[in-house]
Amino acid sequence: NTVINPTPINDLTAEYDNDNTISLSRSAEETATSYNMDRNGVKSKDANTTTSYTDPQLAPGQYCYTVTAVNSVGTESEFSNAACETVKPLPIADLAAVYDNDNTISLSWTASATATGYNIYRNGIKINDANTTTSYNDPQLTPGEYCYTVTAVNSIGMESELSNAACETVIKPTPINDLTAVYDNNNTISLNWSAGATATSYNIYRNGVKIKDGNTTTSYNDPQLTPGQYCYTVTAVNSIGMESEL
């Protein structure tokens, strides 16, 4: 009797599932009763009786697989096509961003099991690499929306997929909305207002022209005025010089 080798598998696929596991799948070979699998040239499984296989608990790195079909008398086919995948560090899934009212956004996340550092991206651009803690402060931001992602990096420089996106909006100091002006019959107008939550000083405008900046209290006296009408506005200024609307 002529022994016919099983037909080689030609559609082996490998898929990394983000949990240090690679899943293999392929079509069935008509005469096969089982399948042998090699990982990076070394047999990792023999006599597998299904057309799929899950290779778990893999360390980060690249893995290439081949499969042979085995028939009922133990005759083995030629190797299949090679299917390769890369096991990366586990991605961050709980990135959080908090705006702290001082033009700084603070990021935090839970450590990834195999990470030795983290890369931080703002609006798709890397702003920090090799961050070794699970937090990061992004200071002196101008007003606008900022979306962050983080990747975990292992000891050989392999980078995980991007984390969830965490977004926050940096806003200007809150405008003053209770400014009052009182004329005191001595050619002086006294101004008063409530403190702005993030303000460290105030700029004062008379008839559209700035007459005082860096005022650190919530009042101001404008003396020695000549007869006429005077209209005032005040802006709140925060610690890095960002000014509110009038």
Side-chain angles (χ1 to χ4, degrees):
N1 292 336
T2 301
V3 176
I4 300 175
N5 290 347
T7 303
I9 305 297
N10 61 11
D11 62 351
L12 178 65
T13 61
E15 184 175 356
Y16 173 54
D17 70 359
N18 285 328
D19 191 23
N20 295 337
T21 295
I22 293 176
S23 297
L24 306 176
S25 61
R26 60 195 175 277
S27 298
E29 199 282 329
E30 288 185 1
T31 64
T33 56
S34 66
Y35 303 88
N36 295 337
M37 276 159 285
D38 284 22
R39 181 211 299 140
N40 294 344
V42 178
K43 185 180 287 185
S44 60
K45 174 71 175 177
D46 59 8
N48 188 69
T49 57
T50 67
T51 57
S52 61
Y53 179 70
T54 300
D55 197 11
Q57 298 179 328
L58 296 167
Q62 187 180 55
Y63 296 89
C64 289
Y65 298 85
T66 53
V67 172
T68 57
V70 183
N71 64 17
S72 58
V73 295
T75 303
E76 192 171 16
S77 73
E78 300 295 325
F79 286 112
S80 70
N81 61 295
C84 301
E85 262 289 10
T86 300
V87 174
K88 301 175 181 179
L90 293 178
I92 306 300
D94 63 349
L95 177 64
V98 177
Y99 173 52
D100 69 0
N101 287 325
D102 191 23
N103 301 330
T104 296
I105 293 177
S106 298
L107 305 177
S108 61
W109 60 91
T110 302
S112 175
T114 60
T116 56
Y118 302 90
N119 293 339
I120 298 158
Y121 297 80
R122 183 211 298 138
N123 295 343
I125 298 171
K126 186 189 290 185
I127 59 169
N128 187 274
D129 58 10
N131 189 75
T132 56
T133 67
T134 57
S135 62
Y136 180 75
N137 292 329
D138 194 14
Q140 298 181 327
L141 296 165
T142 56
E145 184 179 52
Y146 297 89
C147 288
Y148 297 85
T149 51
V150 172
T151 58
V153 183
N154 66 16
S155 59
I156 59 172
M158 191 173 294
E159 191 172 18
S160 74
E161 302 297 327
L162 292 171
S163 70
N164 61 298
C167 302
E168 266 287 9
T169 301
V170 174
I171 59 176
K172 296 179 180 180
T174 303
I176 305 301
N177 60 13
D178 62 350
L179 176 65
T180 60
V182 177
Y183 175 54
D184 69 359
N185 290 322
N186 191 26
N187 295 335
T188 296
I189 294 176
S190 298
L191 307 177
N192 287 277
W193 61 91
S194 297
T198 62
T200 56
S201 65
Y202 304 89
N203 294 339
I204 299 158
Y205 297 79
R206 182 210 300 139
N207 294 342
V209 178
K210 186 189 289 185
I211 59 170
K212 173 73 174 175
D213 60 7
N215 192 75
T216 56
T217 67
T218 57
S219 61
Y220 179 74
N221 293 327
D222 194 14
Q224 299 178 329
L225 296 166
T226 58
Q229 186 181 53
Y230 298 90
C231 291
Y232 297 85
T233 52
V234 173
T235 58
V237 183
N238 66 16
S239 60
I240 64 167
M242 190 177 292
E243 191 172 17
S244 73
E245 301 298 326
L246 293 170

